[in-house]
Amino acid sequence: MTISSAAALAVPFGSQSVLVVEDDTGKVLFEKNASTVAPIASLTKLMTAMVVLDAHQDMNEPIEIEKSDVDVLKHSSSRVPVGATIPRRDVLQLALMSSDNRAAAALARTYPGGTEAFRAAVKRKIMALGMTQTVIEEPTGLSPHNQSTAADLVKMATAASNYGEITRITTSSDHLINIKGREVEYHNTNRLVGAKGWDIGLSKTGYTQEAGRCLIMRVKAAGKNATMVLLNAGASSVRLLDALNIRRHVLNDEIPVATTPARATRVRTAAAGPRIKAALRAPRIKSALAGPRIKASAGGARAKASSGRARSKHVVVVTRHRRHR
């Protein structure tokens, strides 16, 4: 284990693999099992997005979600119905921000030359980035055969951060998308995006049973720009606590604490440890056994469109998927 701060040695990071790198210098600030190969779940979608954008397809072209896009491997849920026709730009938004698997599958299916051409392009991209320990077989991350290391994923995150569309989408907290004539609000799967005191430049979460809870995030804290990769955490609360501890103990940056109890979020580890308050505007995050609950807004609730579009009278608020994201 390599580390820049002796104080962090006492911090029990729950993720099985952790790597924190200073972007400007490439200096490793913290490392734990960074060369261990593991499933990467929906972190895969950053690679999917890069390959799709490299093809320079028409982002306004409508894509119809087909039955073949439905997940038959994990049977994960999706709020994107078969038969919906959505511009490619919004399909990319769904795949990255809300980690929708049907959207990612549709992007690969409509790649020039089809799915096989997409897979070939992914292999070429992996080689070009020097990701020697990475295998990606399909676009969603549902397959446990999509594997990499924290060290390789830092390379992927660095490359993805050079795509303005990817950084814009992954740092959006919510977005309205027209689904069959209704404006539907989707949310970012990373609760730190949009949270008070967090300056995030890139974000992607992932989860399958094999991969555990995963996270790639670029942050600015204590005057440093850093990329963190967390793989195989046992719960969302553990993944979040690791991110908080990296900021506090590795980046030597204090996280703003809410001044009133109503604005503080309590984060509990899988074990019965002390409560830690962080200034998040999201609902309370509970232990892994009871995952976070998010209620859909009632029909009269007002939904904000991050793109600045006018509000619709018919807005459906879509919750974050609990599984396989």
Side-chain angles (χ1 to χ4, degrees), residues 200-260:
I200 297 175
L202 180 78
S203 169
K204 188 70 196 79
T205 63
Y207 170 71
T208 60
Q209 185 175 1
E210 297 90 349
R213 304 286 174 173
C214 305
L215 175 67
I216 285 177
M217 192 163 64
R218 287 195 131 198
V219 298
K220 183 175 183 179
K224 298 176 183 175
N225 294 295
T227 297
M228 66 177 77
V229 175
L230 308 176
L231 300 179
N232 197 12
S236 294
S237 57
V238 174
R239 178 177 64 188
L240 176 59
L241 186 61
D242 281 351
L244 296 172
N245 281 330
I246 286 171
R247 178 166 175 174
R248 180 178 292 116
H249 297 287
V250 178
L251 300 178
N252 299 314
D253 185 59
E254 285 301 319
I255 302 167
V257 177
T259 56
T260 60

Side-chain angles (χ1 to χ4, degrees), residues 20-150:
V20 185
V21 176
E22 191 173 44
D23 296 333
D24 298 333
T25 65
K27 179 182 179 181
V28 174
L29 302 178
F30 183 85
E31 181 270 333
K32 172 187 174 184
N33 300 326
S35 59
T36 300
V37 176
I40 60 173
S42 286
L43 301 185
T44 296
K45 293 183 175 80
L46 284 177
M47 179 63 72
T48 297
M50 286 192 288
V51 169
V52 167
L53 290 170
D54 285 346
H56 301 291
Q57 295 173 273
D58 181 2
M59 298 304 288
N60 294 317
E61 179 185 355
I63 295 177
E64 182 177 356
I65 304 301
E66 298 183 355
K67 190 174 181 180
S68 61
D69 300 323
V70 175
D71 167 29
V72 295
L73 180 63
K74 300 287 188 181
H75 304 286
S76 57
S77 60
S78 171
R79 295 300 183 94
V80 184
V82 172
T85 300
I86 310 168
R88 180 174 281 105
R89 177 174 287 102
D90 285 342
V91 176
L92 183 64
Q93 183 100 21
L94 287 167
L96 283 176
M97 187 186 74
S98 298
S99 205
D100 189 90
N101 294 314
R102 292 182 189 179
L107 289 171
R109 175 176 53 80
T110 58
Y111 184 84
T115 303
E116 289 304 316
F118 171 83
R119 289 196 187 102
V122 168
K123 288 182 180 179
R124 291 193 298 270
K125 190 72 170 179
I126 288 172
M127 291 181 61
L129 296 178
M131 299 172 65
T132 58
Q133 301 299 310
T134 299
V135 174
I136 294 178
E137 295 185 349
E138 51 82 38
T140 66
L142 289 167
S143 171
H145 299 299
N146 284 18
Q147 298 186 348
S148 188
T149 65

Side-chain angles (χ1 to χ4, degrees), residues 144-194:
H145 299 299
N146 284 18
Q147 298 186 348
S148 188
T149 65
D152 267 9
L153 292 174
V154 165
K155 297 176 183 178
M156 185 174 75
T158 301
S161 68
N162 291 321
Y163 292 75
E165 194 74 353
I166 294 178
T167 58
R168 179 191 65 78
I169 291 173
T170 64
T171 56
S172 299
S173 58
D174 55 69
H175 188 70
L176 283 177
I177 295 177
N178 188 292
I179 304 289
K180 292 189 171 182
R182 295 187 301 170
E183 292 293 303
V184 182
E185 186 177 27
Y186 291 85
H187 296 273
N188 200 306
T189 55
N190 182 3
R191 297 192 170 205
L192 293 176
V193 172

Side-chain angles (χ1 to χ4, degrees), residues 191 282-286 290-296 319-320 322:
R191 297 192 170 205
R284 289 185 178 179
I285 301 175
K286 298 183 180 179
R293 277 187 175 180
I294 303 188
K295 295 183 179 180
T319 61
R320 300 173 178 86
R322 295 185 184 179

Side-chain angles (χ1 to χ4, degrees), residues 253-313:
D253 185 59
E254 285 301 319
I255 302 167
V257 177
T259 56
T260 60
R263 297 187 63 187
T265 296
R266 292 174 179 174
V267 182
R268 297 184 184 180
T269 61
R275 291 177 176 175
I276 297 179
K277 292 183 178 180
L280 306 181
R281 288 178 292 182
R284 289 185 178 179
I285 301 175
K286 298 183 180 179
S287 64
L289 295 178
R293 277 187 175 180
I294 303 188
K295 295 183 179 180
S297 298
R302 297 170 68 187
K304 294 182 179 179
S306 61
S307 61
R309 290 181 291 176
R311 294 186 180 92
S312 169
K313 292 182 180 179

